[in-house]
Amino acid sequence: MVYHSSFVDEEGITKACGCPLLPLKSHIKGPAPISEQDKTDIVDEAITFFRANVFFTNFDIKSPADKLLIYLTFYINVALKRLEGCRTLAVGTKAIINLGLEDIPVPGETGFPFPGLFSLPQSQDEADLFRNYLKQVREETSGRLLSVAYRANGTPNKWWLAFAKRKFINVVVL
């Protein structure tokens, strides 16, 4: 059984491209509302559920937050692929920073991994808002992922990096 997001209440949440812009426990500037540090956010859920959800080839969407969970699970898979050959935390950090510098496509643009999952942006402002949100959530995910993919002494955690070989919902990561 797939793990779904607990963020089902959409009241007061801004949306872009059919995706809720959920609050984040983040110090990174962006359009996401700030969440309390002691509460679980979507990034915590994505990292917690990743190792279970990555085994599934189908994902039944029960709320709009599940779309973001799918996107983040895919992004974690991409990030782990980049970290696969990195033997130290310093090298892994550099790889993740380079991943963060890449262009972030939005629905309707070439390179977006899930056409049809999110609705097309109605305006350039909505596309920019969604792109900036994805950039912020990816940066936050990357930072937290490094803390679980590498041990305190800077060596790789094989129980995380082994999942780089998995394909999430049969999407091949290059």
Side-chain angles (χ1 to χ4, degrees), residues 126-160:
E126 183 180 9
D128 290 340
L129 175 66
F130 194 52
R131 181 177 285 112
N132 290 334
Y133 181 75
L134 288 180
K135 181 175 177 22
Q136 182 182 10
V137 79
R138 284 169 60 140
E139 285 181 30
E140 187 62 35
T141 303
S142 296
R144 294 189 207 173
L145 183 62
L146 283 172
S147 66
V148 294
Y150 289 90
R151 294 185 182 91
N153 64 3
T155 59
N157 183 343
K158 70 178 182 177
W159 302 113
W160 267 92

Side-chain angles (χ1 to χ4, degrees), residues 60-76:
D60 185 30
I61 298 171
K62 295 196 178 199
S63 72
D66 282 344
K67 296 176 182 182
L68 188 55
L69 188 64
I70 289 169
Y71 182 86
L72 287 176
T73 303
F74 176 76
Y75 177 72
I76 291 169

Side-chain angles (χ1 to χ4, degrees), residues 18-38:
C19 176
L21 306 183
L22 297 172
L24 298 175
K25 297 183 296 190
S26 178
H27 63 281
I28 298 167
K29 289 181 106 179
I34 303 298
S35 175
E36 296 175 24
Q37 292 297 319
D38 59 337

Side-chain angles (χ1 to χ4, degrees), residues 73-119:
T73 303
F74 176 76
Y75 177 72
I76 291 169
N77 194 238
V78 170
L80 288 175
K81 281 255 190 253
R82 298 285 175 94
L83 294 174
E84 199 171 20
C86 303
R87 295 286 131 217
T88 65
L89 178 59
V91 176
T93 303
K94 186 175 178 183
I96 288 293
I97 289 171
N98 288 337
L99 177 61
L101 295 175
E102 293 179 5
D103 287 335
I104 300 171
V106 294
E109 295 179 354
T110 57
F112 190 75
F114 301 106
L117 182 63
F118 297 100
S119 59

